[in-house]
């Protein structure tokens, strides 16, 4: 089992910056994919940024060039999302995601609101 806990969400003005954190505990050595998804009201959950194994991260088209994902090497105990030049459409609940060979894990999410 893996437990994921997000932090760092909040209210930020358009054009501002925010840094999200995810702390993973439990059987973290089993994690293969590790990343962030988000969900806005009345919309489907979408990919924000994702490490697939040891490959370079993938980013959703809408955040490329503005968001950067990073992690604590291959220990998979911590994950971060640096958000810059945020837009109102970046608002939503941001979820930490992890997947082992057979199981998908989600955190409870952290709310990000971009508004003036």
């Amino acid at each position: 089992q893996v437990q994921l806990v997000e932090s760092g969400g909040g209210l930020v003005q358009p054009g501002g910056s925010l840094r999200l954190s995810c702390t993973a505990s439990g059987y973290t050595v089993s994690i293969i994919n590790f990343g962030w998804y988000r969900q806005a009201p009345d919309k489907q959950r979408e990919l924000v940024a994702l490490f697939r194994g040891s490959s370079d991260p993938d980013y959703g088209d809408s955040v490329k060039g503005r968001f950067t994902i990073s992690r604590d090497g291959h220990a998979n105990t911590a994950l971060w999302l640096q958000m810059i030049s945020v837009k109102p459409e970046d608002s939503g609940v941001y979820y930490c995601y992890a997947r082992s060979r057979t199981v998908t894990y989600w955190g409870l999410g952290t709310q990000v609101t971009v508004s003036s």
Side-chain angles (χ1 to χ4, degrees):
Q1 288 283 356
V2 172
Q3 296 78 41
L4 304 172
V5 178
E6 304 94 338
S7 61
L11 175 65
V12 58
Q13 292 188 341
S17 301
L18 203 63
R19 182 177 171 88
L20 305 183
S21 300
C22 173
T23 300
S25 60
Y27 194 44
T28 60
V29 295
S30 67
I31 294 175
I32 298 173
N33 297 340
F34 202 16
W36 294 94
Y37 283 74
R38 70 185 181 190
Q39 188 166 17
D42 300 323
K43 291 190 176 181
Q44 289 189 331
R45 195 169 295 190
E46 64 174 357
L47 171 71
V48 177
L50 178 67
F51 286 107
R52 301 180 194 273
S54 59
S55 300
D56 289 339
D58 294 328
Y59 291 92
D61 288 341
S62 63
V63 307
K64 285 179 181 177
R66 300 187 298 118
F67 291 10
T68 303
I69 189 173
S70 58
R71 62 181 173 181
D72 58 336
H74 296 287
N76 288 332
T77 58
L79 189 70
W80 298 275
L81 184 70
Q82 180 66 51
M83 307 163 61
I84 66 171
S85 303
V86 296
K87 305 174 182 179
E89 51 264 43
D90 293 322
S91 298
V93 179
Y94 282 68
Y95 296 94
C96 187
Y97 161 95
R99 177 157 177 86
S100 69
R101 193 176 301 276
T102 57
V103 182
T104 296
Y105 304 95
W106 295 97
L108 295 179
T110 185
Q111 176 70 46
V112 172
T113 302
V114 182
S115 175
S116 55

